[in-house]
Amino acid sequence: MPLRIAVFGAGSVGCHLGGLLAAVCEVTLIGRPQAMEAVRERGLRLTGGGRADTRIAPALLRASSEPSAVAGADYVLVTVKSGATREAAAAIGPHLGTDAVVVSFQNGLRNPEVLRAALPSGAVVLTGMVPYNVVRTGPAAFHQGTAGALMVDDTPDAGALVAALRRAGLEAQPRADMGPVQYAKLLMNLNNAVNALSGLPLRDQLGARAYRRCLALCQEEALAAFRAAGVVPARLGPVPVSLTPRLLRLPDAVFRRVAAASLRVDGRARSSMWEDLERGRPTEVGSLQGEVVALAARHGLATPVNARLVELVREAEAAGAGRARRWPGAELYAELRGAAGR
C-alpha cells in the first residue's frame, strides 16, 4: 500500500508539499473550497526550487474541503496559519486513525503543543519546519522562491515520511533539536513583516540596507529575550545567530560579498505575510513578532521595535486587500528607531 498523506490547510506550502509527494504517495489536499475546486479542475503546477516546471494531473490528487478527508491517512501534515491551529485540531481530531501521525509544518513556536492539547489523548504530533518560501502564482500554481532542507523530529514515527519526502526529491533532515530549530526559524521569520510592509520581492528588500537594519533591530530584541529565557537557537546557516544583526547592517556592497547566499533568492519570492496582506487575510504577525514581545515581557524586557511592527502590520490588515501602505526602507527604519527611542 502506498503511504497515505493528508495535507490539512492546503494553501501555498501545503499544495507544494502535497503536489511533490503525489509522485510517491497517495495524497489528499484539504483546503478552502474555491482552491480545492481549482485543484480538481487543473491539478497543480509547481515551479522554482531548482526543479523543472512540474505539473501534477488532477487524477493524482484527491482534493476536499472537508476535515473528514483525513480519515485513513498515515500522516496528516498541518499547514494552516498559526491562529487556526486549535480550530484545525478540533476539526480533524474526530477523524484521525489511531495510528495516524500529525506533523506541524507551520511557522511559530507553539503549534505542536497546541495540537497535542487539542487532539484526542495519545495522538502523535511531530514538529516540522519548512525553510523555504512558496507563493501562489495562479489558481492552482505555486512557486518556490528560496531553498533549504525540510526538518522534522528525529523519531521512529517520522521515518516513513522522511523517506517519502526524499523519494519525492525534497531534502529532508530528521533533527533531535527541533525546539532550537524553531527559535532559529523565528529569527528568520521576523523578516516577514518587514518584507510585507516594503511591498518588494524578497531579493530586492534584503538587498537594501535600510530594510536589513529594520530586521537587525527585530533580531536584537529577540536574541535578548532568548538569552533571558535560556534559549539557544540552532545554527542553521554559516553565520552564528548572535552575529546576524551585525551582518545585516553591513553596507550593501559588502553585504553582497559576505552574504551572497542570503541573496540567492528567486526574483518572484515574497513572504507569506505579504501574500496575506495582498489577499486580505489575517497574518501571522502575532505568532512571529508577537511571540518575541510576549517572551520578553515574561522576563521583564521591552521590545518596542517588534511591538511597533505588530501595530503596523495590524494597520495594514485593516486597510484591506492590496491597500496596505508600502514603506520605503529609510522611513520604516526611522519609524522603528523612533519606537525604540533611538
Side-chain angles (χ1 to χ4, degrees):
M1 291 289 292
L3 198 66
R4 294 164 297 182
I5 293 180
V7 182
F8 189 80
S12 297
V13 167
C15 284
H16 180 268
L17 288 175
L20 291 175
L21 283 166
V24 296
C25 302
E26 183 181 295
V27 172
T28 300
L29 301 177
I30 307 163
R32 294 184 179 93
Q34 185 176 3
M36 295 301 97
E37 183 61 30
V39 172
R40 282 191 288 269
E41 290 179 359
R42 305 164 183 251
L44 289 172
R45 181 185 179 193
L46 306 178
T47 55
R51 302 178 191 84
D53 190 327
T54 303
R55 295 178 183 270
I56 297 94
L60 292 179
L61 295 160
R62 292 179 60 209
S64 175
S65 57
E66 297 299 326
S68 58
V70 303
D74 300 303
Y75 287 93
V76 178
L77 312 185
V78 177
T79 58
V80 299
K81 298 292 184 184
S82 294
T85 302
R86 194 176 304 279
E87 179 183 344
I92 66 175
H95 309 290
L96 288 177
T98 56
D99 296 327
V101 177
V102 177
V103 186
S104 168
F105 276 123
Q106 301 166 271
N107 289 330
L109 301 176
R110 309 286 167 204
N111 295 305
E113 64 186 59
V114 171
L115 288 169
R116 290 188 189 99
L119 288 172
S121 177
V124 176
V125 177
L126 303 181
T127 301
M129 189 273 279
V130 179
Y132 50 75
N133 163 275
V134 180
V135 293
R136 191 174 80 170
T137 54
F142 300 90
H143 183 79
Q144 179 185 339
T146 53
L150 295 162
M151 298 180 186
V152 65
D153 278 319
D154 187 6
T155 74
D157 290 312
L161 176 62
V162 170
L165 290 167
R166 290 172 175 170
R167 288 199 307 274
L170 288 156
E171 187 179 356
Q173 295 179 4
R175 299 276 301 219
D177 60 343
M178 284 303 297
V181 164
Q182 285 185 292
Y183 279 98
K185 178 69 186 308
L186 176 61
L187 279 175
M188 295 163 52
N189 281 344
L190 294 178
N191 188 57
N192 285 12
V194 178
N195 179 254
L197 294 173
S198 78
L200 296 174
L202 274 167
R203 186 167 64 190
D204 296 341
Q205 178 249 310
L206 287 171
R209 188 186 188 197
Y211 289 120
R212 294 198 308 275
R213 293 170 92 182
C214 295
L215 176 56
L217 292 174
C218 291
Q219 290 191 348
E220 284 176 337
E221 289 184 350
L223 288 167
F226 292 174
R227 286 192 295 271
V231 170
V232 180
R235 180 170 172 173
L236 300 181
V239 179
V241 292
S242 60
L243 298 181
T244 303
R246 188 182 306 176
L247 178 68
L248 291 169
R249 288 192 170 96
L250 292 173
D252 289 341
V254 180
F255 182 79
R256 281 194 292 270
R257 291 197 300 271
V258 174
S262 300
L263 295 178
R264 270 191 220 124
V265 177
D266 187 289
R268 285 184 280 176
R270 296 176 185 262
S271 72
S272 58
M273 195 174 294
W274 170 86
E275 187 174 3
D276 288 337
L277 291 180
E278 285 297 297
R279 301 188 187 284
R281 299 192 300 239
T283 73
E284 291 186 301
V285 70
S287 297
L288 301 178
Q289 266 77 10
E291 190 70 52
V292 173
V293 173
L295 178 64
R298 290 197 291 271
H299 296 277
L301 299 177
T303 50
V305 171
N306 283 283
R308 183 59 181 144
L309 274 169
V310 172
E311 293 173 351
L312 292 177
V313 172
R314 296 297 188 214
E315 291 171 10
E317 290 176 352
R323 295 182 180 147
R325 174 184 174 182
R326 295 190 174 187
W327 285 77
E331 290 184 23
L332 184 59
Y333 182 57
E335 179 76 18
L336 298 182
R337 279 177 58 86
R342 299 187 186 184

